[in-house]
Amino acid sequence: MSKPISIRRVTRLAPKSLGVILALAGVLATGLLHAEPASKTSDAADAEHKEKKVEVATFGNGCFWCTEAVFEELKGVESAVSGYSGGRVPNPTYEQVCTGATGHAEVIQVTYDPAVITFPELLEVFWKTHDPTTLNQQGPDHGTQYRSAVFYHSDEQRELAEKYKQRLDESGAFDAPIVTEITKFQKFYPAEDYHQQYFEDNPRQPYCRAVVKPKVVKFRKAFHDKLKVSDKPGDEEE
């Protein structure tokens, strides 16, 4: 079943909001430890690769077709998988989640290398690429499945997310209070195969052309220095 086409409002943050979010990301990232330089020997490089530490973050910020297309382009992100979290029913289907009855949010589960991209930097992208002030809504998409949420995997993630949210509210970065839910992660269910890499596989689909592409183009401009590939074809807005 194809996702109903609904033209969501693409959030346009004021310059003040963007500056505040960027500044907070820098403050929260200060003091993080950096890995020692890799050994020059091939054996040491192989060992380092095998022992490379990766972490997981889970975000709900609207339709996962959009959020997957954003997070998978970041340097340090190993994978970005569309799915469902925060609900009551095991192994929900897309159709069930769309009813709102299961309690799940559409989420993206990000596996990342913290030596390349930090959790505060992921939070920066999270808050900068959706509207966290609308309860159970992103533009015209309504329902608890579209709620703004951080499902934290550790106390450190919880503390960083709460601190970031508090500072954004205190700074007046948004015109309304942030309603982002910060909840302990319980379970992640990957979405159906056809949802994965949806924008990449269906760039000409009407919803992707009207909603996903403009959002991704704005993201690429704002986070140019954090992209795996700095220059992408077709970055002009239609």
Side-chain angles (χ1 to χ4, degrees), residues 102-236:
T102 71
H104 292 89
E106 287 193 16
V107 301
I108 199 75
Q109 183 140 292
V110 180
T111 301
Y112 65 100
D113 181 353
V116 179
I117 188 166
T118 65
F119 186 69
E121 289 175 309
L122 292 175
L123 285 174
E124 176 192 354
V125 174
F126 166 75
W127 265 303
K128 195 172 176 182
T129 54
H130 80 296
D131 184 350
T133 69
T134 52
L135 184 63
N136 300 329
Q137 176 187 358
Q138 283 301 302
D141 285 349
H142 295 257
T144 55
Q145 68 269 31
Y146 297 112
R147 66 189 182 271
S148 176
V150 176
F151 294 97
Y152 61 85
H153 292 253
S154 66
D155 287 338
E156 180 185 19
Q157 285 190 357
R158 175 183 57 78
E159 291 168 5
L160 288 168
E162 289 176 347
K163 184 182 297 184
Y164 207 138
K165 177 182 176 182
Q166 179 183 358
R167 292 186 178 182
L168 281 175
D169 267 333
E170 290 173 350
S171 72
F174 298 96
D175 293 333
I178 293 172
V179 296
T180 301
E181 164 191 329
I182 300 176
T183 306
K184 183 176 178 60
F185 172 82
Q186 298 291 339
K187 185 74 175 177
F188 172 76
Y189 299 98
E192 295 82 347
D193 287 346
Y194 74 91
H195 286 300
Q196 310 301 334
Q197 287 81 50
Y198 193 88
F199 177 56
E200 180 181 344
D201 293 340
N202 303 276
R204 309 305 294 176
Q205 196 259 17
Y207 182 88
C208 290
R209 287 167 59 88
V211 178
V212 184
K213 181 177 179 178
K215 186 168 188 174
V216 170
V217 169
K218 290 180 175 65
F219 155 75
R220 288 171 180 168
K221 290 178 180 177
F223 291 94
H224 186 268
D225 61 332
K226 296 185 185 299
L227 301 180
K228 293 172 182 172
V229 179
S230 5
D231 295 304
K232 288 272 213 173
D235 269 359
E236 72 283 354

